[in-house]
Amino acid sequence: MTTPLTQGDISAEIADEREAYAKRVADGAPVENHPSRGYAPYRSSVLRHPKQPLVAVNGDPEAVELTGPAFGVTDITAFDHDLTRQHHGEPLGERIKVTGRILDREGRAVRGQLIEIWQANASGRYAHQRDDHPAPLDPNFTGVGRTLTGTDGEYEFVTIKPGAYPWRNHVNAWRPAHIHFSLFGTAFTQRLVTQMYFPGDPLFAYDPILQSVTDESARARLVAAYDHDLSTPEWSLGYRWDIVLDGPAATWIEEGR
Amino acid sequence: MSLAPTPSQTVGPFYGYALPFAKGGDIAPTGHPDTVTVHGYVYDGAGLPIPDAIVEVWQPAPDGSRTGAPGSLRRDPVKGEIIGRDGVAFTGFGRIATDADGHYVIRTLPPGGAPYLSLIVFARGLLHHLYTRAYLPELTDPTADPLLASLSPERRDTLLATPDTGSAPGVLRFDIRLQYDGVHEETVFLAFD
């Protein structure tokens, strides 16, 4: 019988990983914008990451991955971006608006592309059969949204603020409140699945998934900004979160396809 | 100008009611005589199938077009349900959640102008998705393709879909192994910079 992992164990590993990263950078290694797939404090990664280096496919202008799928009005319905209007009643929780722009590495707007989100309800429970957290389900909240980006790469969702929830990475493990995002660019190489966090969450330091991004400024890019100008009087609070897609963009397809 | 990218995070365990969609792996129009079926299992480093992975596929149309087409997640505007592709436009995109046995199935038409399907794997436990390719044997010359030619035979073989003995013609097997399990080679995963 192994001793159950404590938060202290995981926090010590998180600190070690951060220290090792700082030393790598000090020794001249490049900034790491993405998590290492083998980041061990997130225990589920242990058997699910490749140990061989990735094989670089650079300089092949014919690579299929330099193009990507298209989405359009047939893939979206009118209320998909408003998670508070998908049922007969209003969901419980703090109503919020989340908005921002999707850009590529060159700063160009990513237009007409699909964004999908999913999240827990206000009490930290997913509408998923395998979520057995004993927090109430909300019959008026599923927690799924979709939208297409506009001509300036902009998007907007209306939803409720998700709750924190426990998980079983270690004893007393809690995920900070977050919204899952799935994004497409003009090329398959730009595909991104990530999570948006809320500013000032006291759980940040304890969470091995957020902390898997060992670079502090990269980690900060996962946190939305509260923007009072986006708050609607007597209705909802506003958050801004801009997203930059990594990877080479499509080069030979006209911009804004 | 080069902006710092937004970091990746794992898809987690609870995407199941958000990302998968009905007939997500059926890219070919139903009953099309040229349909190729590519199926397989996603395995972890213990050699166990992964029941909570998602495989996405992107490919050129049979005529070589790489623009794709909307309509992969075509919706019923009354009920909001996904009603599937219209069977006319070739969207080139598919998305399949592995089943409880770690299995996925893609039914598509052979890509024009490229010998492979481009695949992305997402999973709980995977902090950043992985790219790979399923090369179709009838379209592939392993000595001519620059990526395949650059790999050792053992590594190269992980990218080759193989005829599924015992199955109907046109059924190919392509397993994805996220990690060496002590017996089977780890699948080659790709980087694009």
Side-chain angles (χ1 to χ4, degrees):
Chain A
M1 182 85 192
T2 50
T3 318
L5 276 172
T6 66
Q7 182 67 54
D9 298 329
I10 293 296
S11 291
E13 289 185 29
I14 288 171
D16 289 348
E17 292 279 352
R18 196 177 302 166
E19 198 175 314
Y21 172 65
K23 183 167 187 317
R24 280 201 295 283
V25 170
D27 291 346
V31 165
E32 296 170 18
N33 288 305
H34 295 287
S36 160
R37 293 180 180 86
Y39 187 79
Y42 175 37
R43 285 295 190 264
S44 302
S45 73
V46 173
L47 290 170
R48 293 187 170 191
H49 73 280
K51 294 189 172 176
Q52 301 259 8
L54 303 184
V55 176
V57 182
N58 296 332
D60 176 9
E62 295 299 316
V64 166
E65 294 84 356
L66 293 175
T67 60
F71 300 94
V73 292
T74 54
D75 297 310
I76 296 292
T77 63
F79 293 120
D80 280 357
H81 74 285
D82 188 340
L83 286 72
T84 69
R85 295 178 66 181
Q86 297 173 352
H87 296 272
H88 291 299
E90 290 257 355
L92 295 171
E94 184 183 313
R95 194 181 294 109
I96 60 172
K97 183 196 297 183
V98 179
T99 186
R101 294 180 71 206
I102 314 302
L103 304 173
D104 69 13
R105 279 196 316 213
E106 304 304 312
R108 294 173 297 200
V110 174
R111 299 171 176 162
Q113 277 297 349
L114 181 68
I115 307 182
E116 297 159 287
I117 66 169
W118 66 103
Q119 62 168 92
N121 70 21
S123 61
R125 177 87 183 263
Y126 284 89
H128 191 291
Q129 197 171 312
R130 285 185 55 200
D131 184 358
D132 54 5
H133 173 37
L137 284 166
D138 184 340
N140 292 315
F141 192 74
T142 305
V144 174
R146 292 189 190 92
T147 194
L148 297 174
T149 56
T151 51
D152 291 323
E154 75 276 14
Y155 73 91
E156 180 179 307
F157 288 103
V158 177
T159 184
I160 52 94
K161 188 176 179 185
Y165 61 84
W167 60 312
R168 299 195 178 112
N169 191 69
H170 52 277
V171 175
N172 208 17
W174 290 83
R175 295 295 331 276
H178 60 275
I179 299 176
H180 295 267
F181 273 69
S182 161
L183 303 115
F184 291 84
T186 54
F188 215 35
T189 54
Q190 295 176 288
R191 191 80 176 86
L192 177 67
V193 166
T194 188
Q195 303 178 24
M196 184 205 93
Y197 298 86
F198 291 86
D201 194 316
L203 292 170
F204 285 166
Y206 303 98
D207 179 38
I209 293 184
L210 174 60
Q211 297 298 329
S212 71
V213 181
T214 46
D215 185 84
E216 187 175 357
S217 57
R219 204 161 58 240
R221 293 197 292 278
L222 292 175
V223 183
Y226 172 70
D227 185 336
H228 200 63
D229 291 335
L230 291 173
S231 293
T232 305
E234 298 176 51
W235 185 251
S236 65
L237 295 175
Y239 291 88
R240 180 173 298 281
W241 194 46
D242 295 329
I243 299 165
V244 176
L245 302 182
D246 205 353
T251 48
W252 55 272
I253 286 178
E254 68 275 19
E255 193 190 342
R257 168 172 65 92
Chain B
M1 177 167 170
S2 189
L3 298 178
T6 304
S8 172
Q9 293 269 270
T10 179
V11 74
F14 297 133
Y15 55 80
Y17 60 106
L19 295 182
F21 54 89
K23 298 189 181 298
D26 294 350
I27 305 172
T30 305
H32 195 291
D34 297 341
T35 298
V36 175
T37 300
V38 178
H39 77 110
Y41 296 81
V42 183
Y43 293 108
D44 70 12
L48 296 173
I50 297 181
D52 49 6
I54 307 179
V55 177
E56 285 187 348
V57 51
W58 164 242
Q59 64 163 98
D63 67 2
S65 161
R66 298 184 176 193
T67 59
S72 295
L73 296 83
R74 205 166 55 100
R75 307 282 292 285
D76 170 358
V78 178
K79 294 181 177 173
E81 293 162 358
I82 290 174
I83 51 179
R85 299 171 183 83
D86 65 12
V88 177
F90 188 86
T91 73
F93 173 72
R95 176 187 283 164
I96 312 97
T98 54
D99 66 16
D101 206 19
H103 189 234
Y104 73 93
V105 182
I106 299 163
R107 292 180 195 85
T108 190
L109 300 178
Y116 56 87
L117 311 179
S118 177
L119 303 180
I120 296 181
V121 185
F122 303 92
R124 176 179 66 83
L126 191 55
L127 284 159
H128 194 177
H129 59 265
L130 289 165
Y131 292 93
T132 188
R133 288 175 176 175
Y135 281 80
L136 308 185
E138 289 189 4
L139 303 177
T140 301
D141 176 355
T143 57
D145 182 87
L147 170 63
L148 294 181
S150 73
L151 299 169
S152 70
E154 306 78 55
R155 300 285 288 148
R156 182 193 65 203
D157 286 352
T158 70
L159 298 182
L160 300 175
T162 53
D164 202 357
T165 48
S167 293
V171 178
L172 300 170
R173 178 76 179 261
F174 187 76
D175 292 339
I176 300 168
R177 298 182 180 277
L178 298 190
Q179 200 178 83
Y180 175 66
D181 65 1
V183 178
H184 302 94
E185 187 73 24
E186 182 179 294
T187 298
V188 168
F189 296 104
L190 307 174
F192 302 89
D193 295 318

